[in-house]
Amino acid sequence: LEVQLIPFPPIQATVCGFPISIFFIVVNEFCERFSYYGMKAVLVLYFKYFLNWEDDFAITIYHTFVALCYLTPILGAIIADSWLGKFKTIIYLSIVYAVGQVVMAVSAIHDITDTNKDGVPDSMTFHVALSMVGLILIALGTGGIKPCVAAFGGDQFDEDQEKQRGTFFSIFYLSINAGSLLSTIITPILRAQKCGIHSKQQCYPLAFGVPAALMVVALIVFIVGSGMYTKVPPAGNILVKVCKCVGFAVSNRFKHRSSTFPKRAHWMDWAEEKYDKLLIAQVKMVLKVLFLYLPLPMFWTLFDQKNIPATTMNGDFVRFLHSLSSHQTVNPILILVLVPIMDSIVYPLISKCKLNFTPLRRMTVGMFFAAVAFVAAALVQLQIDNTLPKFSSSTESQAKFINMVDGTLHITCNGLINAFNPQATQDYLTFDEPFEMSVNASRPESITLPHGNRTTLVIAREGFQLGYRIFQDFNTKPDQGYNTSLFLTGSCFGRISFTIENLLGNQCSFSRKLGFGSSFTYFIPSTFAMGENCDQHIREVEDIKPNSIHMAWQIPQYFLMTTGEVVFSVTGLEFSYSQAPSNMKSVLQAGWLLTVAVGNIIVLIVAEAAQLPDKWAEYILFASLLVLVCIIFAVMAMFYTYTDPAKIEAQFLNMEPEDKEKKNMEKDKKGMADESGKSSDFSSDEEKTKQSKL
């Protein structure tokens, strides 16, 4: 007689049909994401300006840390589903996470090793070692709990609460982006504060300390809800069982590869000789979903490089938008707006139109939106490229001639005569070798310009003769021009003001409004005199025209990409949970997160292998690849059959006693056959003995 004890789940109090326990989980996720993104927002700055690392090395360590955060979910999922369970795994790894954040905050306190009180740490090795320990602990913590929290939230719902569970994943995604939005705004502000005991420095301890405090709050909030959670117990070392089951099925199929053996419905059915049908069915479900994940990293490849360079665009208002995008805040703002719209308006409308908008179709549409976003980015980039000045290559040089004489000059370059009016804007001329120049039929002079640079040649009068002086563009310091004319060159944005003062203290002030991306040269001639309207004597030459493509053209790209993310990512989280067997929920969530890590790797491979000279061509390349992947995924989705893991597992659990009885009967029959064989052999031996005696 076998007695199976089934733990009675806790009584779930609900609000609007949702278990109260999920609110603790959502608040925990908000605080944890605030902690992670807040720390990450100032991490590169900490590397560069506190640890004094080179830019390339700082960025390399940063990307290594991010990659580690997306690889450790596999470890956390194995621990949760095999040994500790999701609840204990989240608790223990959150403690590791919080300790890592505290270690990072301590590593940023410069006064610890500043023995001479000069504001500079005396032992940078100590701070580097401490920060590396902190980052490793953070990567283990954030990556380890990442697949567990979402799956644990899904466990709080009954099988008949599929709609509420789908809404939960949307709210869960909202909490992620709300934490990201606030932290990426707040922590840079905290870093800008001055703090210190002996000397005031950028306050990295505060910028890291607040995320550490939020992680502690996340841990406390999660523990407070302990009595309300539904806690699914771990199923033992499930990953080892799965690997052994798959390995046995492959080897057994190979042994029976001859056509004399009857075929089986699925290649995993070859494991039936050793493993029970329930485990085989669960492995089939997981492998089917993982196979479907193979094309998905391409979406994250595009998503991780969604920003258009806005430094070559125009716009006062949207400069703020670009400053937000550089701090990764436009994306979460749009998500906070679009997720409720999708759940409350778009999806219900599609359902009322009797369209079967399945999760896999949603994900396909999400990938298509991302591809269209990159096509939009390519179109904008083409317009930007058409308005940019054409700079010289490494084997060429460019020169502009500016006439400082009151009269037209005829300048001959390599036999080509050009007429230059006073202070008129002229295009740059390109030269690939030294050239000869003569002014107004004067004796030609040979001029050599450095390759790869832009040069300005100012023609001015010295007494009764004409002469020229060469200036490199974009000097930040003023140069003394030919004769007594002052030559200033630089670049600014907005309204710029100048004040000219002579030795007697007389001043002349003037201002100009400069367009974004433009470059002007201002000349103060030797005939300049102080007095009323003195600024009218200052001569202006436009070197580079202002950018004419407005930065607001970035908005369609952000909108399309974020729409694709909402449709793709939120649906993917829910799909990964709903199609996973009960003992491998976290493992499948980790598999979903692994597609993000693979997408980052693809970015590096494709960008390095493509070596495209134009940015717009790179955008089109990635968009084309995603469209191809989108088609492949759509075809794969057509052949996918949705399953209800709970029903399938229940069916096999009911069949198990019968299977055991059949196996026992087969063993008994086999044993009886063996015994009868032995007895027959024994009797035949006795007959032979008797005959030999006779």
Side-chain angles (χ1 to χ4, degrees):
L1 178 63
E2 292 185 359
V3 179
Q4 185 178 7
L5 297 177
I6 301 175
F8 191 77
I11 299 174
Q12 287 276 20
T14 60
V15 175
C16 300
F18 293 90
I20 291 181
S21 56
I22 69 162
F23 295 101
F24 293 95
I25 297 172
V26 168
V27 173
N28 165 269
E29 184 66 12
F30 169 81
C31 295
E32 187 274 328
R33 290 291 87 186
F34 186 105
S35 177
Y36 174 75
Y37 283 107
M39 177 274 303
K40 204 173 73 163
V42 296
L43 188 58
V44 173
L45 298 175
Y46 170 74
F47 289 156
K48 290 169 61 176
Y49 301 114
F50 188 90
L51 299 182
N52 298 321
W53 287 353
E54 296 292 333
D55 288 358
D56 292 341
F57 185 67
I59 293 172
T60 299
I61 297 298
Y62 172 82
H63 284 298
T64 303
F65 165 72
V66 173
L68 189 60
C69 290
Y70 280 100
L71 292 175
T72 50
I74 296 293
L75 177 62
I78 294 171
I79 294 173
D81 285 342
S82 301
W83 293 297
L84 296 179
K86 302 181 191 71
F87 177 75
K88 290 184 179 179
T89 301
I90 294 171
I91 293 292
Y92 295 154
L93 290 181
S94 292
I95 294 173
V96 173
Y97 192 170
V99 171
Q101 291 281 33
V102 172
V103 170
M104 277 299 297
V106 173
S107 72
I109 302 175
H110 64 275
D111 291 309
I112 294 177
T113 60
D114 186 14
T115 54
N116 56 4
K117 302 180 182 180
D118 62 349
V120 179
D122 298 326
S123 178
M124 194 61 72
T125 305
F126 171 82
H127 294 276
V128 171
L130 211 59
S131 61
M132 291 303 101
V133 170
L135 289 178
I136 292 172
L137 293 175
I138 292 170
L140 289 173
T142 187
I145 69 174
K146 200 182 289 283
C148 302
V149 177
F152 188 70
D155 289 344
Q156 308 309 306
F157 296 89
D158 297 330
E159 292 303 323
D160 59 347
Q161 292 182 300
E162 185 177 348
K163 182 179 179 181
Q164 289 89 337
R165 188 175 62 209
T167 304
F168 159 73
F169 281 110
S170 297
I171 297 173
F172 185 81
Y173 208 75
L174 278 175
S175 68
I176 292 174
N177 288 276
S180 167
L181 172 63
L182 291 178
S183 64
T184 49
I185 294 175
I186 293 173
T187 50
I189 296 174
L190 298 177
R191 169 197 167 264
Q193 307 304 310
K194 300 293 184 180
C195 63
I197 300 174
H198 307 306
S199 61
K200 301 298 181 181
Q201 304 288 340
Q202 298 282 352
C203 203
Y204 289 102
L206 183 61
F208 290 141
V210 170
L214 263 292
M215 190 58 226
V216 174
V217 171
L219 178 59
I220 294 172
V221 168
F222 188 74
I223 294 174
V224 168
S226 175
M228 304 179 190
Y229 298 139
T230 298
K231 302 170 186 175
V232 178
N237 199 346
I238 188 64
L239 189 65
V240 174
K241 291 180 183 178
V242 170
C243 293
K244 287 183 177 180
C245 184
V246 173
F248 180 79
V250 173
S251 63
N252 196 31
R253 177 68 184 90
F254 182 77
K255 291 176 183 177
H256 299 82
R257 63 187 180 276
S258 175
S259 58
T260 58
F261 296 99
K263 293 183 178 180
R264 301 188 182 182
H266 193 279
W267 62 272
M268 276 301 302
D269 292 334
W270 289 95
E272 288 180 351
E273 283 82 353
K274 187 175 180 180
Y275 295 92
D276 58 75
K277 292 183 179 180
L278 174 60
L279 179 63
I280 295 172
Q282 290 171 333
V283 173
K284 287 180 183 178
M285 286 186 275
V286 170
L287 292 179
K288 188 168 66 170
V289 176
L290 290 178
F291 175 73
L292 206 60
Y293 283 173
L294 291 178
L296 301 187
M298 198 62 212
F299 173 86
W300 300 113
T301 300
L302 271 71
F303 180 80
D304 290 333
Q305 49 172 336
K306 60 183 176 296
N307 293 333
I308 298 178
T311 54
T312 54
M313 303 180 74
N314 180 35
D316 297 327
F317 159 69
V318 195
R319 287 191 75 206
F320 175 69
L321 177 65
H322 175 58
S323 67
L324 289 179
S325 69
S326 64
H327 290 93
Q328 301 177 345
T329 52
V330 167
N331 177 252
I333 288 173
L334 288 175
I335 286 176
L336 293 175
V337 174
L338 289 175
V339 167
I341 291 176
M342 289 293 176
D343 283 348
S344 304
I345 300 175
V346 178
Y347 294 154
L349 281 176
I350 293 175
S351 179
K352 286 185 178 181
C353 294
K354 305 299 182 182
L355 296 175
N356 188 17
F357 201 36
T358 62
L360 294 181
R361 289 177 182 175
R362 291 185 192 180
M363 294 169 68
T364 305
V365 171
M367 287 192 283
F368 181 75
F369 268 110
V372 174
F374 263 61
V375 172
L379 294 175
V380 173
Q381 190 65 48
L382 274 172
Q383 297 301 314
I384 294 172
D385 292 345
N386 291 334
T387 62
L388 291 178
K390 305 300 180 184
F391 292 98
S392 58
S393 66
S394 58
T395 60
E396 297 175 332
S397 57
Q398 290 181 318
K400 170 183 278 192
F401 301 91
I402 296 180
N403 179 9
M404 286 291 292
V405 181
D406 292 331
T408 302
L409 294 178
H410 293 84
I411 301 176
T412 304
C413 293
N414 292 344
L416 183 65
I417 301 176
N418 297 276
F420 293 91
N421 296 321
Q423 290 83 47
T425 301
Q426 304 289 343
D427 292 332
Y428 281 88
L429 303 178
T430 302
F431 303 93
D432 55 4
E433 58 185 14
F435 63 93
E436 287 190 342
M437 182 188 77
S438 63
V439 181
N440 287 353
S442 62
R443 183 173 59 85
E445 294 188 48
S446 180
I447 298 176
T448 302
L449 301 177
H451 285 168
N453 289 332
R454 281 187 154 194
T455 305
T456 299
L457 286 87
V458 180
I459 313 299
R461 186 179 299 279
E462 173 68 14
F464 297 101
Q465 297 180 348
L466 289 174
Y468 69 90
R469 186 179 176 109
I470 297 175
F471 299 92
Q472 295 297 319
D473 275 12
F474 308 122
N475 291 331
T476 56
K477 295 181 180 180
D479 285 309
Q480 186 65 34
Y482 199 86
N483 195 11
T484 56
S485 299
L486 184 63
F487 176 78
L488 293 172
T489 182
S491 59
C492 302
F493 174 75
R495 181 162 293 278
I496 183 171
S497 298
F498 292 103
T499 300
I500 303 171
E501 183 176 350
N502 61 14
L503 296 176
L504 300 176
N506 299 322
Q507 292 184 346
C508 175
S509 298
F510 75 101
S511 64
R512 296 289 187 273
K513 186 176 182 180
L514 308 181
F516 190 62
S518 62
S519 177
F520 291 87
T521 301
Y522 291 94
F523 296 96
I524 305 174
S526 57
T527 57
F528 175 81
M530 297 290 182
E532 190 176 355
N533 299 325
C534 59
D535 59 325
Q536 295 181 1
H537 300 285
I538 299 173
R539 300 176 181 179
E540 173 186 287
V541 175
E542 183 184 66
D543 297 319
I544 299 177
K545 295 182 180 297
N547 299 328
S548 57
I549 305 300
H550 202 279
M551 290 172 65
W553 285 106
Q554 279 192 295
I555 295 176
Q557 182 213 3
Y558 276 104
F559 178 80
L560 289 168
M561 179 59 75
T562 306
T563 302
E565 180 193 359
V566 169
V567 177
F568 177 85
S569 188
V570 177
T571 306
L573 277 174
E574 181 186 355
F575 176 80
S576 300
Y577 182 88
S578 65
Q579 297 298 294
S582 59
N583 56 353
M584 284 181 271
K585 297 287 188 185
S586 297
V587 169
L588 216 49
Q589 289 288 329
W592 168 258
L593 294 170
L594 192 61
T595 62
V596 182
V598 176
N600 287 322
I601 297 172
I602 293 175
V603 172
L604 300 176
I605 295 174
V606 175
E608 188 68 26
Q611 294 293 329
L612 298 176
D614 298 315
K615 197 69 177 175
W616 67 266
E618 185 177 324
Y619 292 147
I620 293 294
L621 171 64
F622 280 111
S624 303
L625 289 174
L626 186 57
V627 169
L628 177 62
V629 167
C630 189
I631 295 171
I632 294 172
F633 182 77
V635 174
M636 294 170 65
M638 290 172 60
F639 295 95
Y640 182 85
T641 304
Y642 292 88
T643 59
D644 188 341
K647 289 183 179 179
I648 294 175
E649 290 172 349
Q651 291 174 2
F652 282 102
L653 285 171
N654 293 331
M655 291 170 57
E656 271 191 352
E658 298 177 4
D659 292 340
K660 287 181 180 179
E661 288 181 7
K662 289 180 181 179
K663 288 182 179 180
N664 291 334
M665 291 175 64
E666 289 175 359
K667 287 181 181 179
D668 292 341
K669 289 179 180 179
K670 186 177 180 181
M672 292 173 64
D674 292 341
E675 289 178 2
S676 63
K678 289 179 181 178
S679 62
S680 63
D681 293 341
F682 180 71
S683 62
S684 62
D685 290 341
E686 284 186 340
E687 292 287 338
K688 291 178 182 178
T689 305
K690 287 180 181 179
Q691 290 177 4
S692 63
K693 285 182 179 180
L694 291 172

